[in-house]
Amino acid sequence: MTGPELKQLRTDLSDAIERKLTAVDMAKLCGLPEKGGADTIRRWEVSGPTPSATKVLRVLAMASERHPILDNFNVFDRHDVREEDRPARRAAFRAQMCDEVRRRLG
């Protein structure tokens, strides 16, 4: 994930949870310490986050319609899920991811 992609992710997650996320909020989502966490996010929005933070952010990104559901989470396109049920299941999954983002923010 690049710096500009991280910056866009902040906007996308803000839209998904209908609340503007700050650098402090993004630091919480990444598990960074309160002291200095926001500054780290601002640096990452230029240079890109660490690989471990990228893993967390890619999972949380699934809350937004602008980001794909990762293959290892995609249980909707399997043969045992009726095709007409898939959109509703994807929407429910994204809603769960939005709830997870909100939960992590406190």
Side-chain angles (χ1 to χ4, degrees):
M1 176 177 291
T2 66
E5 288 171 338
L6 175 59
K7 201 170 201 170
Q8 182 61 51
L9 177 59
R10 185 187 338 179
T11 301
D12 295 344
L13 287 176
S14 293
D15 292 344
I17 66 168
E18 299 175 339
R19 172 184 157 198
K20 184 169 174 55
L21 294 177
T22 64
V24 171
D25 294 330
M26 292 300 286
K28 283 183 190 176
L29 291 177
C30 292
L32 296 173
E34 283 186 39
K35 186 175 183 176
D39 291 333
T40 300
I41 291 295
R42 287 184 201 98
R43 278 193 307 276
W44 285 354
E45 286 181 343
V46 174
S47 64
T50 63
S52 60
T54 297
K55 288 178 185 177
V56 171
L57 291 168
R58 285 184 198 258
V59 171
L60 295 176
M62 293 185 292
S64 171
E65 292 285 338
R66 295 185 188 123
H67 296 267
I69 295 174
L70 301 174
D71 287 338
N72 54 334
F73 289 88
N74 191 354
V75 295
F76 317 107
D77 293 331
R78 299 184 328 191
H79 69 282
D80 61 341
V81 177
R82 293 180 350 168
E83 200 163 323
E84 56 269 13
D85 294 339
R86 293 174 185 176
R89 289 198 179 186
R90 277 190 210 95
F93 177 78
R94 290 201 190 270
Q96 285 178 323
M97 292 306 298
C98 285
D99 290 343
E100 176 63 17
V101 169
R102 288 184 195 102
R103 183 192 68 74
R104 287 174 179 240
L105 292 173

